[in-house]
Amino acid sequence: MMLMNRVETALVNSPPRRWLQRYYEVPWMRRLGGPLPPGARVLELGCGPGYGTQLILDRFGAGHVDAIDLDPAMITRARRRLTRRYGQRVRLAQGSATDLHTTLGEPLSRYDAVFDFAIIHHIPHWPDALAEIARVLTPGGRFYFDEVTALALATSTYRLLFDHPAENRFTAEEFLSELARHHLVVDQQYLTRRRGRYVLGVATYRP
Ligand SMILES: C[S@@+](CC[C@H](N)C(=O)[O-])C[C@H]1O[C@@H](n2cnc3c(N)ncnc32)[C@H](O)[C@@H]1O
């Protein structure tokens, strides 16, 4: 497992990152996947400093969010951002998206939605995370994702500034077909941008 380097940590905690989440990623996710059912139970993977969690609560109207991150420093930041404002509507836990049982001690089929704001490309054995997502979603539950593909990770900007797992990277097509293997059905609800460097969409769990 890999934590982010200093440059990426600073970027994730910056106003431009929050701007992109608020004005680009969340509106597109809503457009493609629609709103959540009232009072929805949501899991956010790799919540970082918790700004995405705030948008899931405020913009999607989630009833409760369990938000996890591998990095304890991120959980501390998220706690500072969220606890006073949202109280019992948020639970934060440190641990890996590839082992939700250890991280959350949850039973199966618990969540109406799972969110991935750019974390799965950090996981060397990323199909394990998709298997976990399918395991914890209710039938008909939705997986909202925005991911960084192998094409972006191969650019000089990404290679110079950030550290990512070198093996087992995925293209947009590989990510979408692995989703299908786990019964996470995307149909036409996705888009790629910057010529396949990023893939954003919504899958529905249809076991
Ligand atoms: C690029 S940041 C994105 C943070 C936040 N979601 C955002 O969009 O600003 C990736 C986050 O995933 C976390 N992460 C990496 N591997 C993880 C894993 N296996 N399980 C859970 N979180 C992980 C990192 O610690 C980091 O906070």
Side-chain angles (χ1 to χ4, degrees):
M1 298 279 174
M2 262 175 103
L3 297 183
M4 292 187 299
N5 71 10
R6 275 203 213 161
V7 177
E8 194 172 10
T9 301
L11 196 71
V12 161
N13 285 304
S14 69
R17 174 70 198 127
R18 290 195 286 277
W19 191 92
L20 193 70
Q21 266 186 300
R22 185 184 187 97
Y23 294 109
Y24 183 84
E25 292 173 28
V26 162
W28 265 112
M29 285 175 174
R30 271 198 64 124
R31 209 167 296 165
L32 293 171
L36 297 173
R41 289 193 66 84
V42 175
L43 170 65
E44 186 192 3
L45 306 174
C47 62
Y51 188 63
T53 322
Q54 199 175 319
L55 295 174
I56 295 166
L57 289 156
D58 291 345
R59 298 287 164 115
F60 281 90
H64 180 95
V65 182
D66 284 342
I68 70 162
D69 201 287
L70 191 61
D71 184 348
M74 286 297 182
I75 292 295
T76 303
R77 280 178 191 269
R79 184 159 287 126
R80 245 183 263 139
R81 177 187 298 282
L82 300 166
T83 303
R84 190 166 336 146
R85 185 157 172 190
Y86 299 100
Q88 303 291 312
R89 290 178 69 202
V90 179
R91 178 168 62 138
L92 293 158
Q94 188 270 324
S96 177
T98 54
D99 183 6
L100 296 177
H101 186 75
T102 303
T103 307
L104 294 164
E106 297 296 346
L108 302 175
S109 309
R110 178 177 181 80
Y111 297 101
D112 301 302
V114 176
F115 279 76
D116 154 29
F117 288 109
I119 106 135
I120 286 179
H121 66 285
H122 278 274
I123 302 178
H125 299 289
W126 57 273
D128 293 352
L130 300 190
E132 283 293 80
I133 291 163
R135 201 173 64 81
V136 300
L137 273 175
T138 55
R142 271 169 259 164
F143 173 48
Y144 294 79
F145 57 88
D146 189 21
E147 267 309 326
V148 181
T149 73
L151 294 184
L153 299 178
T155 60
S156 49
T157 312
Y158 271 86
R159 282 189 286 124
L160 278 172
L161 294 181
F162 309 130
D163 293 327
H164 289 95
E167 75 283 9
N168 218 7
R169 295 174 173 180
F170 50 80
T171 61
E173 293 73 23
E174 286 163 348
F175 189 71
L176 295 170
S177 53
E178 188 64 23
L179 286 174
R181 269 192 0 98
H182 299 278
H183 307 282
L184 292 161
V185 180
V186 176
D187 290 329
Q188 298 306 308
Q189 293 164 295
Y190 77 96
L191 56 91
T192 59
R193 59 189 193 280
R194 309 274 326 271
R195 285 177 290 158
R197 289 179 186 167
Y198 304 92
V199 57
L200 181 153
V202 183
T204 303
Y205 180 48
R206 295 204 192 110

